[in-house]
Amino acid sequence: PASGILRIAVDATLPPNRRLSVLEPIDTGGVVRLTPQIAAELGLAVESHIGADEFAAVVNRAGIALNGADHLFFFPLAEHAALTATPPSDTVRRLRADDAAAFAAFEEAAPDDDLDEAFVELDHWLVYGAFVAGELVAAASMYPWTGTRLADLGVLTLPAFRGRGLARETVRALSADALRQGYEPQYRCQLDNHASVALAASAGLQRFATWDVIAQD
């Protein structure tokens, strides 16, 4: 569809946390993916089309809250080979369970709001970190989305160590590992998070779309 027009795609297999989502690629139309139950609640027919503004009004009238749109970034296909061929720097390596003490100290030093927003966890599927003088100062982790080959990532650098390119190096090392294992790295951030947008660009990620999802209870 044309820009500003959304296609309705009904899918009974969607997980509860993505039972309603809106994907709007740059410079073209988008798609609303939703379960049959929500489609019936909104009065939307399978494979029909609706304007983005009209859809927002329909959702609002139904009292359904969305989480708030994110930018969605991916690495260009043309960059995959170079990314996977580049070894991590001496300061960056994969983190494992025996890094628990270093990761706990990292969490203790990080601002609470940053921890919540970044959602970086040592028990995620794949985790990388950057060290300075033996201290873990930046970390990035990712986990695959159920039923997909997408690996969603988050990253966090301690405030005193920002501006050194550590997050960029960590994201690229993490993403290269995921690509080697057959997963596509996916990076998301809120539309007004200018620091995260800048990090995505510096890491070589390109903006593909905006994406919104139903708010969790």
Side-chain angles (χ1 to χ4, degrees):
S3 182
I5 302 298
L6 305 173
R7 179 174 63 87
I8 306 302
V10 178
D11 184 349
T13 68
L14 293 172
N17 64 333
R18 299 200 300 276
R19 62 191 184 275
L20 170 61
S21 66
V22 186
L23 178 72
E24 296 188 71
I26 306 304
D27 298 328
T28 188
V31 60
V32 177
R33 292 173 57 84
L34 68 177
T35 60
Q37 293 84 354
I38 293 185
E41 185 178 346
L42 297 178
L44 299 174
V46 179
E47 297 302 324
S48 61
H49 292 81
I50 188 173
D53 292 341
E54 182 183 355
F55 173 75
V58 168
V59 170
N60 185 60
R61 285 196 298 270
I64 295 176
L66 298 180
N67 194 55
D70 284 339
H71 288 303
L72 202 59
F73 296 88
F74 295 94
F75 286 98
L77 288 174
E79 301 296 326
H80 285 190
L83 183 62
T84 56
T86 304
S89 69
D90 293 340
T91 61
V92 176
R93 64 170 175 82
R94 184 171 179 177
L95 303 182
R96 302 186 185 275
D98 56 3
D99 290 301
F103 196 86
F106 172 77
E107 290 183 306
E108 182 67 25
D112 289 341
D113 289 347
D114 290 352
L115 281 172
D116 290 341
E117 183 175 351
F119 191 42
V120 175
E121 303 286 349
L122 186 59
D123 61 358
H124 279 170
W125 168 67
L126 198 59
V127 192
Y128 271 70
F131 290 81
V132 173
E135 178 187 1
L136 179 63
V137 299
S141 68
M142 58 171 51
Y143 56 94
W145 277 2
T146 303
T148 78
R149 302 298 287 184
L150 296 175
D152 201 62
L153 74 92
V155 59
L156 176 61
T157 305
L158 297 183
F161 295 89
R162 292 173 185 169
R164 303 187 188 185
L166 296 169
R168 173 188 180 278
E169 293 178 13
T170 306
V171 165
R172 287 183 63 84
L174 172 73
S175 298
D177 196 338
L179 285 169
R180 294 186 196 103
Q181 298 187 56
Y183 285 85
E184 184 73 33
Q186 174 180 271
Y187 182 76
R188 294 179 294 130
C189 68
Q190 290 285 300
L191 301 186
D192 60 354
N193 191 335
H194 304 300
S196 287
V197 171
L199 169 59
S202 71
L205 291 147
Q206 288 189 358
R207 189 163 63 99
F208 168 71
T210 60
W211 185 75
D212 206 350
V213 66
I214 192 167
Q216 301 306 302
D217 295 335

